[in-house]
Amino acid sequence: MFTQRDIDRLQGIAVYDRAGHELGTVRQIYLDAETGDPLWVTVSTGTLSFQESFVPLLGARLDAGRLTVAADADQVRRAPLLDTGGPLEHQQAERLHDHYGTAPDDAMTRSEERLVASTTREPARRVRLRKYLVTEEQQVTVPVTREEVRLEEVPVDAPEEPAAGPVVLHAERPVVTTETVPVERVRLTKETVRDEQTVTGTVRQERIELDER
């Protein structure tokens, strides 16, 4: 694409077709009415010195002091002969575009924003292991023994035994104590749990409408 900075480089430069055949030299440069960028050049191709053909700069390139256009010599010679004494009218430009197949595409591309969600990893909280005591009630069954008095009958003719004094009866009672024993080992590990969250964002969409002026 040529810009206003290329105008001086295009003045009077040799023009070649895409096959490398010389067409002539640039005589005039026609600019875009809105941007001022070069769109067309005229080249003397006929036997008469005033006969000039319009050649599009679309697809052309400047290299080593020569302008190579995207058309072939036959296309340039058969191009519509237009008046080069004034500005290029819209209808004249359409004839040239039709001839060279360079008509601009009036289609427009509509774009819109889409919501793209991603995740970022950040610290949520810190945890550590700590032991503490919990008091609870437990019941256990303990076997106990006790002494009881029993009446024993002896024969009448059995020798007498000295009278016994008071008899002390004994009984066992539960004695409760506690002891600390290891029951399990606990260590801290991490695991990843996958959840789903719904996010909301604002997006913009382009709309295309016909502007009639």
Side-chain angles (χ1 to χ4, degrees):
M1 179 179 180
F2 293 90
T3 65
Q4 299 178 41
R5 295 191 298 269
D6 299 313
I7 294 177
D8 290 340
R9 300 172 59 196
L10 292 171
Q11 296 284 359
I13 198 171
V15 182
Y16 292 78
D17 72 355
R18 59 188 170 194
H21 302 131
E22 186 174 3
L23 301 176
T25 58
V26 171
R27 300 294 297 273
Q28 297 186 65
I29 304 171
Y30 285 78
L31 309 178
D32 188 309
E34 296 182 358
T35 65
D37 294 334
L39 293 180
W40 303 87
V41 295
T42 62
V43 181
S44 295
T45 56
T47 56
L48 302 177
S49 60
F50 59 84
Q51 185 175 338
E52 300 177 20
S53 297
F54 282 85
V55 182
L57 290 175
L58 181 66
R61 68 180 187 276
L62 275 172
D63 185 29
R66 58 192 283 178
L67 174 66
T68 302
V69 297
D72 56 40
D74 187 57
Q75 273 185 305
V76 176
R77 282 192 294 268
R78 291 187 295 103
L81 293 177
L82 305 175
D83 183 12
T84 58
L88 188 63
E89 301 295 336
H90 179 71
Q91 292 182 344
Q92 295 175 321
E94 286 186 345
R95 289 181 59 192
L96 291 172
H97 281 307
D98 289 341
H99 173 73
Y100 286 106
T102 57
D105 186 2
D106 293 333
M108 299 180 67
T109 300
R110 186 181 69 84
S111 302
E112 66 181 22
E113 295 178 342
R114 293 185 177 180
L115 200 63
V116 179
S118 61
T119 60
T120 180
R121 189 180 183 88
E122 60 183 20
R125 58 178 178 170
R126 297 182 64 182
V127 296
R128 61 183 178 184
L129 289 178
R130 183 173 61 88
K131 293 194 298 184
Y132 59 94
L133 291 175
V134 176
T135 301
E136 62 180 13
E137 296 289 337
Q138 290 187 352
Q139 290 184 346
V140 293
T141 300
V142 180
V144 295
T145 61
R146 68 178 183 277
E147 296 177 341
E148 295 181 349
V149 176
R150 185 176 63 182
L151 182 62
E152 182 180 358
E153 295 181 357
V154 297
V156 175
D157 56 353
E160 292 185 4
E161 294 182 0
V167 177
V168 178
L169 300 178
H170 296 83
E172 295 178 342
R173 62 181 178 83
V175 178
V176 178
T177 61
T178 61
E179 63 176 345
T180 302
V181 295
V183 292
E184 63 179 348
R185 288 176 57 87
V186 179
R187 63 183 174 185
L188 183 63
T189 61
K190 295 190 299 183
E191 64 178 3
T192 300
V193 179
R194 186 175 299 277
D195 294 329
E196 290 187 356
Q197 295 184 357
T198 301
V199 295
T200 302
T202 301
V203 297
R204 296 174 298 175
Q205 297 179 341
E206 294 179 343
R207 293 289 185 265
I208 299 176
E209 61 180 13
L210 179 63
D211 186 7
E212 298 183 0
R213 298 182 179 179

